[in-house]
Amino acid sequence: MDYNKLLENIHQAILPYAQEGKAADYIPELAKVDPDQFGMCIHTIYGEVGAIEQADTRFSIQSISKVFALAMCLSIEGDNLWKKVGKEPSGTAFNSLVQLEVEHGIPRNPFINAGAIVMADILYSHLEHPHEDFLRFVHEISGEESICYNKQVALSEREKGYLNAAIANLLKYHGTIENDIEDVLHFYFMMCSIEMSCRELSKAFLVFANHRKKFDYAGITLTSSQVKRMNAIMQTCGFYDEAGEFSYLVGLPGKSGVGGGIVAIYPLQYAVAVWSPRLNSRGNSVMGIKALELLTTETQSSIF
Ligand code: GLN
């Protein structure tokens, strides 16, 4: 299959939506990004690649980093992880506080902010050098050593991160996190600030698509069954209160971030990343969802 052609056709078809939505501006540094950018890249497990437009431009991966954090936490904690965080879809916004209070400080799933802050705490406790070790894991699964944090983005998010600070305080009150709140939040914001391109993201996520291959990167090991279960969580929780809609439209496990990136995988077939900063009201990329909807429709390759 000519993947470049396929992606180009998809891009042409979704151009009418190019001005829909609004880039995230609650993180001041993200408001500086040109919202009219678009990139897309697909990697198949057979080594085929398709890449168009700004597939090589790095952007803030934000919540997509939660998938990397989950891989590390599952490797470290195994099933004990599920004592501190659930695995049910939340049906609420990524930064919602409501359920967390009602459910006594146990986040619904690892992909809402509360769940990811708990994972940041776990990694902070278990890793010798949390910041370096997390980045090394990302380097190994993507095969790209130059990927790094954007400290400016992380600091700018901390400055305005009132909701995440409230979440961290609630978690601390309930005893779900053990480290100092500032240390945990700083690490969480740093993870979110990592910058990667669509090419790098789709290559990195191929390891989750290809669950039959041994998962062993930077000392982080997962069984095939654990990788499959990560995909299950991406399917049910990857898009917050739009997880059902994404499942309906696209039909693949995936994860979005407020930087405008979305990564999706078709198990044992491919991983695809798309980036366009304009978001819908749920914080997911408008063009990103459209592109993936067309991809799975054109290639008849959703998991359903
Ligand atoms: N860093 C962002 C936040 O905590 C991540 C949210 C997202 O990408 N959905 O608000």
Side-chain angles (χ1 to χ4, degrees):
M1 159 129 39
D2 183 344
Y3 283 101
N4 284 332
K5 186 104 203 79
L6 172 70
L7 300 191
E8 269 159 27
N9 289 344
I10 290 172
H11 184 223
Q12 282 305 315
I14 62 173
L15 279 177
Y17 303 96
Q19 296 300 310
E20 257 182 43
K22 192 170 165 294
D25 57 5
Y26 75 99
I27 301 173
E29 279 296 308
L30 288 189
K32 297 180 185 165
V33 175
D34 172 6
D36 297 319
Q37 302 185 81
F38 180 88
M40 192 168 184
C41 183
I42 186 168
H43 275 87
T44 74
I45 66 166
Y46 309 107
E48 296 146 303
V49 185
I52 58 159
E53 301 287 322
Q54 282 141 303
D56 292 302
T57 304
R58 284 184 176 160
F59 58 91
S60 200
I61 69 168
Q62 292 297 321
S63 285
I64 297 171
S65 65
K66 293 168 181 170
V67 179
F68 302 142
L70 177 60
M72 293 184 89
C73 283
L74 264 183
S75 166
I76 292 167
E77 291 264 319
D79 280 346
N80 276 335
L81 175 65
W82 307 120
K83 292 183 184 145
K84 287 189 171 176
V85 52
K87 43 179 139 52
E88 291 296 334
S90 68
T92 58
F94 60 85
N95 52 9
S96 170
L97 272 165
V98 179
Q99 274 169 352
L100 192 59
E101 179 169 25
V102 178
E103 296 176 2
H104 310 292
I106 301 295
R108 268 290 171 97
N109 68 63
F111 292 159
I112 50 173
N113 288 8
I117 292 170
V118 170
M119 294 198 294
D121 179 68
I122 291 171
L123 295 178
Y124 202 82
S125 294
H126 284 82
L127 300 175
E128 209 174 315
H129 305 290
H131 294 249
E132 291 84 346
D133 296 350
F134 185 79
L135 200 54
R136 198 155 50 86
F137 174 63
V138 176
H139 288 170
E140 286 229 351
I141 65 168
S142 62
E144 189 46 71
E145 298 263 314
S146 63
I147 292 168
C148 54
Y149 297 113
N150 184 329
K151 215 170 170 181
Q152 233 151 298
V153 170
L155 292 178
S156 116
E157 182 166 13
R158 177 65 195 102
E159 232 166 78
K160 302 273 178 187
Y162 310 118
L163 263 183
N164 285 320
I167 290 171
N169 277 279
L170 202 51
L171 290 167
K172 185 78 176 172
Y173 170 79
H174 284 285
T176 319
I177 60 176
E178 52 191 36
N179 294 289
D180 176 73
I181 288 174
E182 276 310 317
D183 291 340
V184 175
L185 279 175
H186 181 55
F187 182 41
Y188 167 73
F189 292 136
M190 286 291 275
M191 290 194 282
C192 290
S193 81
I194 284 183
E195 294 181 335
M196 291 172 75
S197 66
C198 287
R199 191 185 298 273
E200 290 161 346
L201 273 172
S202 56
K203 174 136 182 275
F205 271 68
L206 209 50
V207 305
F208 300 111
N210 201 357
H211 56 79
R212 289 200 184 128
K213 196 171 155 230
K214 193 168 186 275
F215 192 108
D216 186 354
Y217 302 91
I220 298 300
T221 58
L222 293 175
T223 63
S224 162
S225 160
Q226 282 175 313
V227 176
K228 282 198 268 182
R229 286 173 172 167
M230 286 195 49
N231 294 341
I233 295 172
M234 282 193 249
Q235 182 74 37
T236 52
C237 310
F239 299 84
Y240 322 110
D241 43 345
E242 203 172 14
E245 184 74 5
F246 187 83
S247 206
Y248 179 80
L249 293 173
V250 178
L252 295 177
K255 186 74 203 81
S256 61
V258 290
I262 300 181
V263 193
I265 61 178
Y266 187 10
L268 300 177
Q269 296 293 332
Y270 63 73
V272 56
V274 55
W275 169 56
S276 165
R278 290 182 193 271
L279 310 177
N280 63 22
S281 61
R282 265 88 172 255
N284 297 318
S285 170
V286 174
M287 292 274 272
I289 293 179
K290 290 276 178 220
L292 295 174
E293 180 188 356
L294 265 186
L295 174 71
T296 55
T297 307
E298 295 282 315
T299 58
Q300 300 190 350
S301 62
S302 100
I303 64 167
F304 298 106

